[in-house]
Amino acid sequence: MNQKEIAELRRRFRPDKSAVSRIYGCYVNGSSKEIVSDLDEPLSLMPEEEAEKYLSLLKKALSGTLGRNLLDIVFSTQQVADSDEHRLLTALRSSALKDAGARAAFYQKVIQALDMGEGNYLILLAHDAYDVPHRGGDGALQADVSDEVFQYILCCVCPVKSCKMELGYFPGENEFHSCAAGQVVSPPELGFLFPAFDDRAANIYNALFYSRSADQLHQEFIDAVFHTEPPMSAAEQREAFESALSDALEDECLMDVVQSVHEQLREKIEQHRESRDPEPLAVTAQEVGGILQRCGVAQQRLDAFQVRYDEYFGENAALNPSNLIDSKRFEVKAAEITITIPPECSYLVETCVIDGRKYLLIPAGDGVEINGLSVGLRDETEKSPEPEHTP
């Protein structure tokens, strides 16, 4: 799926656009792994504000960045042909979630596997039938011409947190009193769409998985519901990428080389953002190798990097560069100091050797401050005043 296809589905989750007729789910006690209550409510009979809140929670399971918060789950051909996990998802979809037995089986599969700590949580499920409008040659949607009906289910898991006692105003008494604590549903921690909406049509070989935190994918949920190899989290990808660089380059893993890799990947991220290209951004080992080659890295080191990259990510893997670097921060650590500068200014940090000792150099320029206090810098040509001696 690309960003346009996700945005097209996200626009569905408004009371005036959605074909969601009912909201299903269950409230779970996280510590005992027991269902506290079931949810099976027609959306049309809810107060408008309440319906909007349910749809808003579900919509958040289609938010975030492709390759970071939104990840492709790929089923094997064997799974699609004959597997319990795909059969259950298909039963939920084909029955429009009306199959109570399938819902109960799904709830139990999630509850027994999911680790949400001791906190309670809410599992929400919705089914939508989207009459997909035809997209003309100019890219405009033609609402009166439909290509197909895309039927899908959307699931999200939301933590439920207890509110503290607060002071509240009671107009009738014209006084403030303590308000009773309650249970508040938080935005979803994870969720998924099945099947995927690829090329604006159903792809039963894929699902789209959502994780609020790109570094915590709840792999136990992925294994239980999809029974597929969990994708690497953003943190795991960055750690593996850094290991591939350091292991392969060895003594050629120099500061200026890493600066170049960081800067050129950051530029790709910025250019992709400005272009508004709906397709997810990705880089390959060959592209990173090109950056290293331009930095003068020896060919044997480039070959070693390719081998390490393939070992960590798989042959010909294309990765989101946002997972490989922190495009919003450039941090340099030495023995006793840490320097953090805007990424676009990373080129200002240089290295040199003075009297056999290694230094990091940063041009000071004007406007130097110490804890907010403006200070000047002594000119090297100026002589320090001689200390006065008291006779």
Side-chain angles (χ1 to χ4, degrees):
M1 291 180 67
N2 61 35
Q3 209 65 52
K4 270 189 178 179
E5 291 161 345
I6 293 170
E8 188 173 343
L9 293 184
R10 278 174 56 83
R11 288 192 289 270
R12 303 278 302 155
F13 285 82
R14 301 202 307 259
D16 59 328
K17 294 281 187 181
S18 175
V20 174
S21 59
R22 302 184 78 86
I23 298 292
Y24 298 94
C26 63
Y27 178 39
V28 182
N29 183 313
S31 56
S32 66
K33 292 185 175 291
E34 294 179 348
I35 294 177
V36 178
S37 63
D38 276 295
L39 177 66
D40 179 357
E41 298 289 339
L43 205 66
S44 59
L45 299 183
M46 293 182 187
E48 184 177 351
E49 183 177 345
E50 189 174 315
E52 287 178 352
K53 288 188 181 299
Y54 276 116
L55 292 176
S56 177
L57 289 171
L58 288 160
K59 180 180 178 179
K60 282 185 171 65
L62 294 173
S63 61
T65 305
L66 282 166
R68 284 181 58 80
N69 310 93
L70 295 168
L71 303 170
D72 280 326
I73 299 293
V74 182
F75 295 103
S76 67
T77 302
Q78 179 59 39
Q79 282 182 293
V80 174
D82 183 23
S83 70
D84 291 340
E85 57 274 7
H86 201 276
R87 196 159 30 245
L88 177 57
L89 293 173
T90 301
L92 292 169
R93 177 196 180 213
S94 60
S95 70
L97 296 174
K98 295 176 183 177
D99 186 337
R103 292 202 313 271
F106 175 77
Y107 295 153
Q108 287 304 317
K109 181 172 286 194
V110 172
I111 292 168
Q112 296 308 315
L114 186 59
D115 181 10
M116 293 282 281
E118 297 296 316
N120 297 347
Y121 57 90
L122 177 66
I123 301 174
L124 288 179
L125 281 170
H127 172 272
D128 185 23
Y130 177 31
D131 199 5
V132 182
H134 177 74
R135 190 182 293 277
D138 58 357
L141 295 179
Q142 301 172 359
D144 56 340
V145 181
S146 176
D147 288 331
E148 69 167 77
V149 176
F150 173 55
Q151 297 201 42
Y152 64 96
I153 59 172
L154 188 61
C155 170
C156 66
V157 180
C158 306
V160 178
K161 300 179 180 178
S162 298
C163 295
K164 296 180 180 178
M165 296 288 287
E166 301 286 353
L167 279 176
Y169 181 66
F170 290 74
E173 302 175 25
N174 200 29
E175 294 177 350
F176 288 88
H177 297 289
S178 294
C179 296
Q183 302 283 312
V184 175
V185 179
S186 300
E189 183 76 16
L190 66 151
F192 69 89
L193 167 81
F194 175 81
F197 189 49
D198 288 337
D199 296 324
R200 306 182 68 240
N203 177 6
I204 62 172
Y205 286 82
N206 283 56
L208 186 68
F209 177 75
Y210 165 78
S211 176
R212 184 184 64 82
S213 171
D215 295 338
Q216 298 178 358
L217 299 185
H218 285 284
Q219 295 183 356
E220 74 283 0
F221 178 95
I222 295 173
D223 184 60
V225 174
F226 307 113
H227 205 60
T228 61
E229 187 68 26
M232 294 177 72
S233 69
E236 290 171 332
Q237 287 185 37
R238 183 177 303 172
E239 183 179 349
F241 180 69
E242 291 171 352
S243 296
L245 280 175
S246 61
D247 292 349
L249 271 56
E250 296 183 352
D251 57 350
E252 290 191 61
C253 191
L254 302 173
M255 183 166 175
D256 62 310
V257 173
V258 175
Q259 278 178 300
S260 293
V261 171
H262 189 280
E263 180 60 25
Q264 292 188 47
L265 290 182
R266 190 188 69 82
E267 287 179 0
K268 284 182 177 290
I269 295 168
E270 291 301 318
Q271 290 168 4
H272 183 266
R273 182 180 294 115
E274 292 172 3
S275 71
R276 299 184 179 277
D277 186 346
E279 295 298 330
L281 177 62
V283 295
T284 63
Q286 288 79 9
E287 291 177 90
V288 178
I291 299 173
L292 298 176
Q293 188 176 45
R294 290 190 290 274
C295 292
V297 174
Q299 185 60 49
Q300 69 180 73
R301 302 291 189 213
L302 299 179
D303 295 340
F305 172 73
Q306 179 73 64
V307 171
R308 290 286 187 274
Y309 185 98
D310 291 347
E311 287 175 353
Y312 283 121
F313 303 112
E315 192 173 352
N316 300 321
L319 305 174
N320 186 336
S322 296
N323 294 349
L324 307 182
I325 65 167
D326 187 343
S327 62
K328 298 180 180 178
R329 187 182 66 158
F330 189 82
E331 183 179 274
V332 180
K333 286 188 177 182
E336 297 177 351
I337 63 167
T338 299
I339 303 170
T340 303
I341 60 176
E344 62 271 19
C345 299
S346 63
Y347 67 92
L348 293 173
V349 182
E350 300 177 357
T351 59
C352 73
V353 178
I354 303 175
D355 296 332
R357 188 172 183 181
K358 297 177 182 178
Y359 287 88
L360 294 173
L361 296 183
I362 303 175
D366 298 325
V368 177
E369 296 182 356
I370 297 177
N371 294 336
L373 174 65
S374 295
V375 297
L377 299 178
R378 190 183 304 280
D379 192 325
E380 288 185 357
T381 61
E382 295 179 3
K383 290 186 177 180
S384 300
E386 295 291 335
E388 296 183 3
H389 296 282
T390 303

